[in-house]
Amino acid sequence: MISRPKFSWGRVRVFVIRCGSEHVGHGIWFLFNGMHAKGTRAAVSDQFYIRPEHRRFGGASRWRKGGEKELRAEGVESRHTQTNPAQPAA
């Protein structure tokens, strides 16, 4: 028998970054039940993009802080963001 918790595997949150009405980037969070502590909620993001002409102005930091605030409001207790050092600066 498989039980389905209220907060199940496979939830996704997409945060769009805009400059005025222009879509200039996005970030994707994958939400899941924590694996190490029963009953915890966790999220990971490794999908993040800002158009090159909009980089180096703090957009990534604002996206991360805003996304973390939204996730905390949903009860997510653990967040992890990763990037590849070979990626261009965002």
Side-chain angles (χ1 to χ4, degrees), residues 2-54:
I2 299 173
S3 64
R4 295 207 177 268
K6 282 184 172 180
F7 194 85
S8 61
W9 289 91
R11 292 182 76 180
V12 175
R13 292 292 178 266
V14 178
F15 295 94
V16 174
I17 301 165
R18 296 190 179 276
C19 182
S21 63
E22 182 183 11
H23 177 167
V24 299
H26 61 271
I28 301 171
W29 289 92
F30 300 94
L31 286 63
F32 54 92
N33 293 318
M35 295 181 288
H36 301 291
K38 186 176 180 179
T40 63
R41 297 174 177 175
V44 64
S45 176
D46 66 355
Q47 295 287 322
F48 177 71
Y49 179 77
I50 295 180
R51 291 174 49 193
E53 63 272 21
H54 290 276

